[in-house]
Amino acid sequence: MSDTFEQFDLNKQLLNAVADLGYTIPSPIQKEAIPVITHGHDVLGIAQTGTGKTAAFLLPILMKVKYAQGQHIRCLILAPTRELSVQIDEAITELAKYTDLRHRAIYGGTGTKAQIEALQSGLDILVATPGRFIDLYLKGEIVTKSIQFLVMDEADKMMDMGFMPQIRKILEVIPRKRKNLLFSATFPPKVERLSEEFLEAPVKVEVTPQATTAETVEQVLYETPNFRTKINLVEHLLGASEEIVRGIVFCRTKAVADNVYKFLQRKGMKEHEVRVIHANKGQNTRMNSMNAFREGEVRILVSTDVAARGIDIQEVSHVINFDVPVIYEDYVHRIGRTGRANLEGKAITFMTPAEEYHIAKIEKIIRSEIPREAIPEGVSVPETPFEEQQTMLREIDNQRKKENPDFKGAFHEKKAKNLPRDQRSSKHKARGKKRRR
């Protein structure tokens, strides 16, 4: 019985739940990871987003934990964001529906009362962001002595978000005798160091080369001279293309995300067509927007990278990178929101002159060039304002200095050339006096 879930010797409750979800053929990461975890090995899983890795670690854990037992947690799953914590908890609800296992997601940004009550009533599996776990542990609400499994999901994102101090504290307070699973979309040196620190003789499961983009995603790049052109281009693409039935617009900062959202609203998009999510939005607002987008009630979601990872929404037709991400692996995570479950998708990226440096780095990581396209006719390309031009020149200078520490800075040289001759000569005289002293 190859290529079915029966091959994993899962119990009937889990097989029934898998059948209810419509899963028939295991994904590559599931085929590789489930038997290894079942046999009790520590696992290092490298799998890009949308590959089915959540079920890959949950199914064997649910098989081992089996049924509700005792008061204290036996499995701890760490995730970098509230959204991913909730999603993993929802996956447990679906896969454990025919069992009596007790589980809960805990995360910051919301009150602790309900989370503490759930812990006090007894849990088998806890999904947590590192910060909230430490908070409730220090309050004496989490007992760790029964933990048998530790899972770290999206480990690379946890490193990027600076969770290493909390993770080290967690590793100090949980039993040494346990099984460890670490999953990451990429395997940079910091994740490698983390894996060496807490995995014991792990089996490495890698289903795709690191930082590869899904073959089902068509990639396109537009060279845009300035912010205003980006705004005009996003308006054109969302208005002219009936293909964009469900799209995510990714922005680098909360301020840009808010600006893009307000612009689209001014252009006539109603709240049922577009929403914005970022870290400043309340937890309920973010969840409601995400659910409305998931259900197809909202066509466009404007977001910072808070939604780039771990959010499993099928049938996203387009991703628009309004800004190029400066954490380069996030490009893979962003465009991984589309082209999921073998569906086709399109990823569109806008690049200013100051972002060309980052695109070159991304292309090196994904080992391919992103195809360029000309800005469509009818899209207004205004002059770049002086302040924006100066900001970009400074940024380009800093990039060149990063590559070559001896580089003095074209921006500053240009600035000096533009000074009146008498000011330039007085500067040289001043330098000469300093040297003579």
Side-chain angles (χ1 to χ4, degrees):
M1 277 221 218
S2 61
D3 287 348
T4 67
F5 282 90
E6 277 83 358
Q7 69 185 295
F8 303 126
D9 295 324
L10 299 172
N11 60 36
K12 194 174 180 184
Q13 291 96 321
L14 294 178
L15 288 174
N16 288 341
V18 165
D20 287 352
L21 290 167
Y23 298 165
T24 52
I25 300 170
S27 71
I29 188 69
Q30 290 162 358
K31 281 173 69 175
E32 293 283 332
I34 291 174
V36 176
I37 299 169
T38 302
H39 285 100
H41 296 285
D42 279 15
V43 168
L44 169 61
I46 310 298
Q48 68 187 69
T49 188
T51 54
K53 65 180 167 59
T54 305
F57 65 74
L58 282 181
L59 283 169
I61 286 174
L62 294 172
M63 182 72 183
K64 294 278 188 183
V65 178
K66 279 188 180 174
Y67 47 80
Q69 185 182 326
Q71 183 73 10
H72 307 307
I73 57 172
R74 289 177 286 149
C75 173
L76 171 62
I77 302 170
L78 296 175
T81 64
R82 293 175 278 191
E83 285 78 8
L84 184 54
S85 302
V86 170
Q87 184 182 303
I88 294 169
D89 193 55
E90 287 172 352
I92 298 171
T93 300
E94 291 174 336
L95 292 170
K97 66 190 283 189
Y98 296 116
T99 76
D100 63 350
L101 287 167
R102 303 155 300 171
H103 55 94
R104 175 79 192 212
I106 65 169
Y107 40 80
T110 187
T112 59
K113 187 171 181 285
Q115 296 177 4
I116 289 171
E117 285 172 359
L119 287 160
Q120 289 175 346
S121 63
L123 289 177
D124 301 291
I125 301 170
L126 180 65
V127 188
T129 52
R132 179 50 61 97
F133 180 93
I134 289 294
D135 289 347
L136 295 188
Y137 173 81
L138 292 174
K139 286 182 178 179
E141 299 296 347
I142 298 175
V143 178
T144 60
K145 64 181 180 182
S146 301
I147 292 175
Q148 300 164 17
F149 292 92
L150 173 63
V151 183
M152 285 194 207
D153 197 14
E154 302 286 11
D156 46 356
K157 187 66 175 176
M158 281 203 260
M159 300 296 97
D160 292 337
M161 292 174 73
F163 280 130
M164 198 62 218
Q166 290 97 325
I167 288 169
R168 284 216 169 91
K169 284 178 186 170
I170 292 168
L171 293 176
E172 285 172 10
V173 301
I174 62 176
R176 292 192 174 205
K177 197 174 178 184
R178 61 176 192 268
K179 296 301 171 192
N180 302 293
L181 312 175
L182 184 149
F183 284 84
S184 185
T186 58
F187 196 52
K190 54 195 169 188
V191 174
E192 188 172 4
R193 286 193 294 274
L194 174 65
S195 68
E196 288 167 356
E197 206 168 303
F198 97 106
L199 295 177
E200 194 173 316
V203 175
K204 189 175 182 181
V205 176
E206 188 170 6
V207 295
T208 52
Q210 287 173 44
T212 53
T213 52
E215 291 176 10
T216 51
V217 179
E218 178 193 350
Q219 299 174 69
V220 170
L221 186 142
Y222 291 107
E223 297 181 15
T224 53
N226 49 46
F227 179 83
R228 190 70 214 180
T229 303
K230 286 185 176 186
I231 283 283
N232 295 340
L233 184 53
V234 80
E235 180 192 2
H236 172 86
L237 292 173
L238 295 180
S241 176
E242 292 179 5
E243 294 174 2
I244 304 182
V245 291
R246 191 179 297 174
I248 304 178
V249 180
F250 281 113
C251 305
R252 196 182 301 167
T253 67
K254 293 171 278 193
V256 172
D258 280 332
N259 284 340
V260 171
Y261 171 67
K262 287 170 187 170
F263 172 81
L264 293 175
Q265 282 197 313
R266 285 199 301 274
K267 290 295 176 179
M269 291 187 83
K270 308 294 182 209
E271 192 177 352
H272 69 270
E273 292 179 278
V274 61
R275 297 270 183 93
V276 61
I277 61 169
H278 51 62
N280 278 8
K281 295 289 178 185
Q283 181 64 18
N284 287 340
T285 303
R286 283 161 64 175
M287 288 299 178
N288 290 340
S289 297
M290 195 67 73
N291 289 334
F293 184 67
R294 182 181 281 114
E295 297 301 320
E297 296 164 16
V298 169
R299 178 182 165 224
I300 303 298
L301 192 66
V302 182
S303 175
T304 54
D305 283 305
V306 73
R309 295 183 185 228
I311 306 303
D312 188 14
I313 297 173
Q314 302 297 332
E315 297 175 22
V316 174
S317 61
H318 289 70
V319 162
I320 297 176
N321 292 311
F322 190 89
D323 299 308
V324 176
V326 292
I327 296 172
Y328 304 132
E329 289 86 355
D330 279 347
Y331 177 81
V332 177
H333 300 299
R334 285 181 180 188
I335 75 170
R337 299 302 97 216
T338 186
R340 295 169 80 81
N342 295 318
L343 298 171
E344 291 185 358
K346 189 168 184 177
I348 301 163
T349 300
F350 303 165
M351 178 188 76
T352 63
E355 292 173 313
E356 197 166 349
Y357 172 86
H358 304 303
I359 285 291
K361 298 284 186 185
I362 287 166
E363 289 177 329
K364 193 173 178 184
I365 283 173
I366 66 174
R367 297 184 292 280
S368 65
E369 191 174 322
I370 305 166
R372 271 66 169 168
E373 273 191 20
I375 291 175
E377 284 184 28
V379 175
S380 171
V381 182
E383 288 278 317
T384 304
F386 177 76
E387 279 300 320
E388 188 178 352
Q389 185 72 40
Q390 298 299 91
T391 301
M392 284 197 281
L393 286 170
R394 282 192 199 93
E395 217 173 305
I396 290 165
D397 257 14
N398 290 335
Q399 292 160 2
R400 292 178 69 180
K401 283 176 190 168
K402 205 182 281 184
E403 299 298 314
N404 175 16
D406 297 328
F407 176 69
K408 300 299 179 194
F411 174 77
H412 299 293
E413 285 167 16
K414 185 178 176 185
K415 196 174 171 185
K417 279 179 190 170
N418 291 336
L419 285 171
R421 184 177 294 275
D422 58 336
Q423 284 188 38
R424 289 209 302 272
S425 60
S426 65
K427 281 195 168 192
H428 289 307
K429 283 175 190 171
R431 285 196 196 108
K433 279 179 186 174
K434 277 184 183 175
R435 278 197 289 272
R436 283 196 294 274
R437 281 185 203 139

